[in-house]
Amino acid sequence: MKEQGRSYRNMSGKCAFFQCFDSNRKDRGVNWMEKITGVTKDSAGAAAALKAMEEGAHVKVKGAVHSVRRMGEITFLILRRRDGLLQLVCEEGKTKEGYREVREGDTLKAEGTIRKEERSPGGLEIVTEEVTKLSESKKAFPLPVSRKKLNTSLEAKLSVRPLSLRNLRERAKFKIQEGICRAFREYLFQNGFTEIHTPKIGAKGAEGGANLFRLDYFHKKAVLEQSPQLYKQMMVGVFDRVFETGPVFRAEKHNTKRHLNEYTSLDLEMGYIDDFTDVMEVETGFLQYMTRLLEQEYRPWLDLLGARLPKTDEIPSVRFDEAKQLVAEVYQRPMRAPYDLEPEEEELIGRYFKETYGADFVFVTHYPSRKRPFYAMDDPADPKVTLSFDLLFRGLEVTTGGQRIHDYDKLTAKIGEKKMTTEGLEDYLSAFLYGMPPHGGLGIGLERLTMQLLGEENIRETCLFPRDLKRLEP
Amino acid sequence: MKEQGRSYRNMSGKCAFFQCFDSNRKDRGVNWMEKITGVTKDSAGAAAALKAMEEGAHVKVKGAVHSVRRMGEITFLILRRRDGLLQLVCEEGKTKEGYREVREGDTLKAEGTIRKEERSPGGLEIVTEEVTKLSESKKAFPLPVSRKKLNTSLEAKLSVRPLSLRNLRERAKFKIQEGICRAFREYLFQNGFTEIHTPKIGAKGAEGGANLFRLDYFHKKAVLEQSPQLYKQMMVGVFDRVFETGPVFRAEKHNTKRHLNEYTSLDLEMGYIDDFTDVMEVETGFLQYMTRLLEQEYRPWLDLLGARLPKTDEIPSVRFDEAKQLVAEVYQRPMRAPYDLEPEEEELIGRYFKETYGADFVFVTHYPSRKRPFYAMDDPADPKVTLSFDLLFRGLEVTTGGQRIHDYDKLTAKIGEKKMTTEGLEDYLSAFLYGMPPHGGLGIGLERLTMQLLGEENIRETCLFPRDLKRLEP
């Protein structure tokens, strides 16, 4: 047996090399082979693991230098790690010299012993023996990342996005966003939904030709999908209940605090509903699940942000026409746009239901047909309105949903009434031609939901890399 | 107190209306309001719920007519539902007349009693009293959806995608795909990763200018991202460990069985690694988690497809140069492309390790630097190769990954060596300027992984709506 070949990994020693070349065998073996066994390690030393250790335990940890405080003979290096801050205590004569050259942004590994210390982040600190740089920051930070709040403009934060996100409050927003998205999927899996992935490049948009980004697709005209609407409906015919969490693209020339040109849409569509309130119940169930998940697993991030979880035990539902009338009368505000809610009206509806019923959320139902897309089902009792809803959260629309037309003849008739053409809709319509159950669904803007949950003033605060009229980078 | 207003929901009666107009109050109340309480119902009658019921229990169920078998006085209606098939038994004189007009594709609700019947799907059938159509199919099916296998060409299946996916085997592939994607996220959440959403429209592609779809973004030149690579690296500086599951876009003019122009990429990136095998360990851990999840929760779908779960307990890892040499010698195949593996070489490596070690997966490491992108870290022991890997699954590459350069100076030097410009990379580079930990990551093609897991011959079989040189619809 020949000795095994070269190793690029003999330092770590975490898994055995084995000899797989047998010179007696007829077939040629490889000289060098290693087995990967799926044993993951966390060489940074997770906070939970450190917390479980005894005072005086010897540990190795890693992290990025969030801030440095030098106090005479003692230097505190505060490390930023994925699970929070960790304090290293370095002392002249006791800690090896290397710690003196450390600056903000460097990444380190350190060795030392645990000391329980209530005032430190996570209730402990590391009495440090030695610090070794893993990498260096080359430049002083242009903004004070380690401050509790970055008291700079949104513009300034976005202009140095990879850096400003290192601020603990900035990154916490996206932990909450993760929790929202996770709750959506987990809740729907538990309720028999299938996750789907639908194409973002298509030949035609779901809801008509305006506001579409256009591109050349191998010399064919293509668009970026503004919604997975038509695809998720087709898939109701296959899986009964489906959802998707993915990007959607809107070439709207808005420049407001609540619009993005690319955002993450949480979409669901469900078959065999009795009526569109079934969809509202599922959304309410999701929001309840979400608040529980955030409470249970994201409490530190919520606290850091001072975020208040909304009331989700019951959500009032009112009709569009009544809601509109209501705020006109209560707040003496003239109605202007009869077929839609103006942003100020949404705010006032939110305010009214908060003040009167303590509600953070309000469903507004029965939107006028002329403002809803062709696939929306009209109310048989009054075809001027649809069996649809929006969900307002603290005065801002975060969801649009409703029941869809499921009968082929009614659907094609409606397309005619809307002066649209069925051209390009053949595949979509074929799903109805071969039978579709009564169904409905909704789309939730992830960034908007996060924004309202956290009480942010601008949707760009809750998007890692916003795309708007001006911003295409980073 | 005034009586409550109109109700569009009095049939369902599932939640109480309540009066919220108080004529004594100064502010005006709404006439009609309902509370949505998040109580979801499954009016279709889930298979698990039916199974738990006693023989003779009276039930209401819903579903789509998958097939109809008329046998004299008895008619069997087989319903397709999200959780499998359900047999309705209708009998002349015992079941109300309506069942006679039912045809394939109609959706129904039915009432009847449960009869345990081992030979029926799910071990039971419904002795049906009454059948009511919820919607109608307008046309006879152009392909035999209810057959066990659709023995038609891929082309034929794709041309009627919303319909062909209703075949049980066709849709089962996407249940397995769901399980893979779910396992990826669950495993990474358990290992401290943060989920991120990065923009798909950008000013510049991650890995150079070729193969990019271009679009006009409010009169600025933009591209569709071919990978979240640069974004996920920037986010390692923020969250240490991140992942994303989302679409990527490649304008490659390939027309092969293993390429799509839009696919779902499972991406991860992790900081504080000791070396690139840490990334391989995480991938192996994910694959182990995936096989367990599929075994536990997706067994019926695996059985339907006759799919064989791969061996994931340990995955052999070999060097690129050795693997290449190996198959050249063992299979007497001349080497042509020295810096890359040809598809046939990947197949032969897969075959060799299957035959010799029973391995379904093989890591191939140390790919030549000239074929890897600028951010790949060269091996200090041999800068002609990188600290990188591909994962082959049954002879096809399903993952590319490796360690990345984390030092700003080395990164900019490498960009120079590759004759690239830093223009457009300023934001990316700023993350390194202010300190980045040693890190690495990988990207997995979801459709390819599904394809290999299920033994499909063409990647279009495992994409709901494939996008290729010819296909932009449906």
Side-chain angles (χ1 to χ4, degrees):
Chain A
M1 299 273 276
K2 176 170 162 274
E3 192 53 43
Q4 74 199 20
R6 78 218 104 146
S7 160
Y8 57 90
R9 236 189 127 193
N10 41 17
M11 288 187 313
S12 78
K14 72 182 165 180
C15 89
F17 297 94
F18 67 101
Q19 182 59 42
C20 56
F21 176 67
D22 181 348
S23 50
N24 295 321
R25 277 178 44 185
K26 293 248 166 55
D27 59 342
R28 183 193 176 284
V30 286
N31 283 317
W32 180 90
M33 184 167 97
E34 187 179 351
K35 283 176 180 175
I36 304 291
T37 57
V39 179
T40 58
K41 66 180 192 322
D42 181 6
S43 68
L50 298 180
K51 205 175 176 81
M53 287 181 180
E54 303 277 310
E55 172 115 9
H58 188 264
V59 292
K60 295 180 184 183
V61 297
K62 295 179 180 176
V65 179
H66 197 56
S67 64
V68 180
R69 280 192 297 143
R70 300 191 204 272
M71 314 189 54
E73 299 202 333
I74 298 194
T75 299
F76 296 97
L77 302 176
I78 319 293
L79 297 189
R80 184 186 63 250
R81 293 137 48 86
R82 64 175 195 260
D83 43 20
L85 298 178
L86 178 65
Q87 179 158 298
L88 306 183
V89 187
C90 305
E91 198 175 341
E92 222 174 281
K94 296 190 179 165
T95 309
K96 285 193 194 163
E97 294 293 301
Y99 73 88
R100 292 172 194 272
E101 286 77 49
V102 167
R103 68 184 221 170
E104 201 179 354
D106 293 349
T107 68
L108 305 179
K109 61 179 175 181
E111 282 189 48
T113 53
I114 288 182
R115 181 160 65 199
K116 304 286 177 180
E117 170 54 68
E118 278 310 307
R119 290 163 300 173
S120 293
L124 58 84
E125 56 193 19
I126 309 294
V127 181
T128 310
E129 292 153 15
E130 184 171 11
V131 152
T132 314
K133 281 191 194 180
L134 295 170
S135 68
E136 286 192 337
S137 169
K138 312 284 179 179
K139 213 174 157 181
F141 283 14
L143 83 178
V145 165
S146 64
R147 276 224 198 118
K148 201 173 170 202
K149 273 192 191 184
L150 281 180
N151 287 321
T152 38
S153 69
L154 173 64
E155 195 67 40
K157 289 192 291 187
L158 292 178
S159 70
V160 287
R161 199 60 167 160
L163 193 60
S164 60
L165 286 169
R166 295 185 188 178
N167 174 266
L168 295 192
R169 280 178 58 96
E170 295 299 319
R171 80 173 183 176
K173 297 174 195 172
F174 298 94
K175 289 304 291 186
I176 301 303
Q177 188 164 80
E178 166 191 285
I180 295 171
C181 196
R182 207 178 132 192
F184 185 76
R185 296 194 195 105
E186 287 183 10
Y187 180 74
L188 295 180
F189 280 136
Q190 288 173 15
N191 282 277
F193 284 74
T194 295
E195 181 176 14
I196 57 173
H197 303 276
T198 68
K200 305 308 158 202
I201 304 180
K204 194 173 171 142
E207 305 179 29
N211 299 329
L212 292 167
F213 289 111
R214 288 164 201 289
L215 72 154
D216 177 80
Y217 186 86
F218 303 119
H219 309 301
K220 276 181 262 184
K221 284 184 185 174
V223 299
L224 292 181
E225 296 290 357
Q226 59 185 327
S227 156
Q229 182 64 34
L230 306 191
Y231 292 102
K232 63 180 182 164
Q233 284 189 266
M234 289 187 260
M235 289 306 97
V236 164
V238 173
F239 300 105
D240 297 358
R241 296 181 166 191
V242 295
F243 77 88
E244 179 164 17
T245 58
V248 297
F249 307 91
R250 310 252 165 130
E252 291 166 348
K253 286 181 185 152
H254 289 141
N255 189 11
T256 79
K257 292 182 175 185
R258 59 186 197 288
H259 286 92
L260 292 168
N261 294 103
E262 176 181 347
Y263 68 89
T264 300
S265 186
L266 308 181
D267 272 278
L268 69 83
E269 199 74 21
M270 56 193 285
Y272 301 105
I273 60 173
D274 288 327
D275 64 45
F276 74 96
T277 62
D278 287 355
V279 182
M280 291 154 68
E281 294 287 0
V282 166
E283 177 157 34
T284 304
F286 150 60
L287 292 169
Q288 291 167 352
Y289 185 91
M290 177 194 82
T291 50
R292 282 197 305 274
L293 182 72
L294 291 176
E295 182 60 53
Q296 287 163 13
E297 301 200 24
Y298 293 81
R299 191 26 79 193
W301 312 97
L302 291 168
D303 289 343
L304 193 59
L305 292 163
R308 190 175 52 81
L309 288 176
K311 182 169 140 36
T312 54
D313 57 331
E314 53 183 28
I315 298 181
S317 165
V318 291
R319 291 179 62 103
F320 173 87
D321 50 5
E322 292 211 42
K324 213 172 165 70
Q325 189 74 33
L326 174 76
V327 295
E329 291 180 20
V330 175
Y331 301 103
Q332 282 150 34
R333 186 186 179 282
M335 274 189 251
R336 285 175 298 211
Y339 302 110
D340 221 338
L341 293 183
E342 295 178 86
E344 202 192 332
E345 284 175 309
E346 290 186 355
E347 269 180 55
L348 293 175
I349 294 169
R351 182 174 148 194
Y352 179 83
F353 281 87
K354 181 68 188 176
E355 287 172 356
T356 317
Y357 305 104
D360 290 301
F361 291 97
V362 191
F363 282 112
V364 178
T365 64
H366 298 85
Y367 277 71
S369 301
R370 69 158 71 185
K371 283 289 186 178
R372 291 297 214 192
F374 72 90
Y375 50 77
M377 186 180 274
D378 291 340
D379 186 352
D382 176 8
K384 288 196 298 297
V385 301
T386 49
L387 298 175
S388 69
F389 64 90
D390 274 13
L391 179 65
L392 309 187
F393 181 19
R394 295 172 179 157
L396 181 69
E397 178 254 303
V398 293
T399 299
T400 294
Q403 183 162 2
R404 328 299 189 181
I405 302 171
H406 58 270
D407 179 78
Y408 178 81
D409 297 330
K410 287 183 184 155
L411 188 57
T412 50
K414 187 71 174 278
I415 289 170
E417 284 166 33
K418 289 262 181 191
K419 312 280 184 229
M420 292 168 55
T421 163
T422 57
E423 201 191 310
L425 289 175
E426 295 83 356
D427 293 297
Y428 171 71
L429 290 171
S430 78
F432 297 82
L433 195 59
Y434 301 116
M436 276 282 275
H439 65 284
L442 57 79
I444 304 173
L446 176 61
E447 294 83 354
R448 273 207 191 175
L449 183 51
T450 315
M451 172 188 177
Q452 292 307 91
L453 185 69
L454 300 179
E456 292 291 344
E457 288 297 313
N458 193 310
I459 196 166
R460 292 161 187 78
E461 296 278 1
T462 53
C463 180
L464 285 175
F465 297 98
R467 290 290 174 263
D468 61 23
L469 281 175
K470 290 190 308 182
R471 283 183 190 81
L472 191 50
E473 296 181 274
Chain B
M1 299 272 276
K2 179 172 163 269
E3 193 54 41
Q4 74 200 20
R6 77 219 103 149
S7 160
Y8 56 92
R9 236 188 125 193
N10 41 16
M11 286 187 316
S12 78
K14 72 185 162 176
C15 91
F17 298 94
F18 67 102
Q19 181 60 42
C20 56
F21 176 65
D22 181 347
S23 50
N24 295 322
R25 277 178 42 183
K26 293 251 165 56
D27 59 342
R28 182 192 177 284
V30 286
N31 282 316
W32 180 89
M33 183 168 96
E34 186 179 353
K35 283 178 182 176
I36 305 291
T37 56
V39 180
T40 58
K41 67 182 192 316
D42 181 6
S43 67
L50 298 180
K51 203 174 176 83
M53 287 180 180
E54 303 276 310
E55 172 115 8
H58 189 264
V59 292
K60 295 180 184 183
V61 297
K62 294 179 181 175
V65 179
H66 197 57
S67 64
V68 180
R69 279 190 300 143
R70 300 189 203 273
M71 316 190 53
E73 299 202 333
I74 297 193
T75 298
F76 296 97
L77 302 176
I78 319 292
L79 297 189
R80 183 185 63 250
R81 293 137 48 87
R82 65 173 195 261
D83 42 21
L85 298 178
L86 178 65
Q87 180 159 297
L88 306 182
V89 186
C90 304
E91 197 175 340
E92 223 174 281
K94 295 190 177 165
T95 309
K96 286 193 191 164
E97 296 292 301
Y99 74 89
R100 293 172 195 273
E101 286 76 50
V102 166
R103 67 186 221 167
E104 200 181 354
D106 293 350
T107 69
L108 304 179
K109 61 178 176 182
E111 282 189 49
T113 52
I114 288 181
R115 181 160 65 199
K116 303 286 176 180
E117 171 53 69
E118 277 311 305
R119 292 163 300 175
S120 293
L124 57 85
E125 57 193 20
I126 309 293
V127 180
T128 310
E129 293 154 14
E130 184 170 11
V131 153
T132 314
K133 280 192 196 182
L134 296 170
S135 67
E136 287 191 339
S137 170
K138 311 283 178 177
K139 211 174 160 183
F141 284 13
L143 83 179
V145 164
S146 64
R147 276 224 198 117
K148 201 173 170 200
K149 273 192 192 186
L150 283 180
N151 287 319
T152 39
S153 68
L154 174 63
E155 194 67 41
K157 289 193 291 187
L158 291 178
S159 70
V160 288
R161 199 60 168 160
L163 192 59
S164 61
L165 286 168
R166 295 185 189 179
N167 174 265
L168 295 192
R169 281 179 56 95
E170 294 299 319
R171 80 171 183 178
K173 297 175 196 173
F174 298 95
K175 289 304 291 185
I176 301 302
Q177 187 164 80
E178 166 190 285
I180 295 171
C181 196
R182 207 179 131 191
F184 185 75
R185 296 194 195 105
E186 286 183 10
Y187 181 73
L188 295 179
F189 280 135
Q190 289 173 14
N191 283 275
F193 285 75
T194 296
E195 180 175 14
I196 57 172
H197 303 275
T198 67
K200 306 308 159 203
I201 303 179
K204 195 174 171 140
E207 306 180 30
N211 299 329
L212 292 167
F213 288 110
R214 289 163 201 289
L215 71 153
D216 177 79
Y217 186 86
F218 303 119
H219 309 302
K220 275 181 262 186
K221 284 184 185 175
V223 299
L224 292 181
E225 297 289 357
Q226 59 186 327
S227 156
Q229 182 63 35
L230 306 191
Y231 291 102
K232 64 180 180 163
Q233 283 189 264
M234 290 188 259
M235 289 306 97
V236 164
V238 173
F239 299 105
D240 297 357
R241 296 180 167 193
V242 295
F243 77 88
E244 178 162 18
T245 58
V248 296
F249 308 91
R250 309 252 166 131
E252 293 165 346
K253 287 182 183 152
H254 290 140
N255 190 11
T256 78
K257 292 181 174 183
R258 60 187 195 287
H259 286 93
L260 292 168
N261 294 103
E262 176 181 347
Y263 69 88
T264 300
S265 185
L266 309 181
D267 271 279
L268 68 86
E269 200 74 19
M270 57 194 283
Y272 301 105
I273 60 173
D274 287 326
D275 65 45
F276 74 96
T277 61
D278 287 356
V279 183
M280 290 154 68
E281 295 287 1
V282 167
E283 176 156 34
T284 305
F286 149 60
L287 292 170
Q288 291 167 352
Y289 185 92
M290 175 193 83
T291 50
R292 281 198 305 274
L293 183 71
L294 292 176
E295 182 59 52
Q296 287 164 13
E297 301 201 23
Y298 293 81
R299 190 27 78 191
W301 312 96
L302 290 169
D303 288 344
L304 194 59
L305 293 163
R308 190 175 51 81
L309 289 176
K311 183 170 138 37
T312 54
D313 57 331
E314 53 184 28
I315 297 180
S317 166
V318 292
R319 290 178 62 103
F320 173 87
D321 49 4
E322 292 211 42
K324 210 170 168 72
Q325 189 74 32
L326 176 76
V327 295
E329 291 179 20
V330 174
Y331 302 102
Q332 284 153 32
R333 187 187 180 280
M335 274 189 250
R336 284 176 300 212
Y339 301 111
D340 222 337
L341 293 183
E342 295 177 88
E344 203 192 333
E345 284 175 310
E346 290 185 355
E347 268 180 56
L348 292 175
I349 294 170
R351 184 175 147 192
Y352 179 83
F353 281 87
K354 182 68 187 175
E355 288 173 355
T356 317
Y357 305 102
D360 290 302
F361 290 98
V362 192
F363 283 113
V364 178
T365 64
H366 297 86
Y367 276 70
S369 301
R370 70 158 71 184
K371 283 288 186 178
R372 290 298 213 192
F374 73 91
Y375 50 77
M377 186 181 274
D378 291 339
D379 186 352
D382 176 8
K384 288 197 297 298
V385 301
T386 49
L387 298 175
S388 70
F389 65 90
D390 273 13
L391 179 65
L392 309 187
F393 181 21
R394 295 172 178 159
L396 182 69
E397 179 254 301
V398 293
T399 299
T400 294
Q403 184 161 2
R404 328 298 189 182
I405 302 172
H406 58 269
D407 180 78
Y408 178 80
D409 296 331
K410 287 182 183 156
L411 189 57
T412 49
K414 187 71 174 279
I415 289 170
E417 284 165 34
K418 290 260 182 194
K419 312 278 183 233
M420 292 169 56
T421 164
T422 58
E423 201 191 310
L425 290 175
E426 295 84 356
D427 292 298
Y428 171 70
L429 290 171
S430 77
F432 296 83
L433 194 59
Y434 301 116
M436 276 284 274
H439 65 284
L442 57 78
I444 304 173
L446 176 61
E447 294 82 354
R448 275 208 190 173
L449 184 52
T450 314
M451 171 190 179
Q452 292 306 92
L453 185 70
L454 300 179
E456 291 292 345
E457 289 298 313
N458 193 311
I459 196 165
R460 291 161 187 80
E461 297 278 3
T462 54
C463 180
L464 286 175
F465 297 98
R467 291 290 174 264
D468 61 23
L469 282 175
K470 291 189 309 183
R471 283 184 190 79
L472 190 51
E473 298 181 89

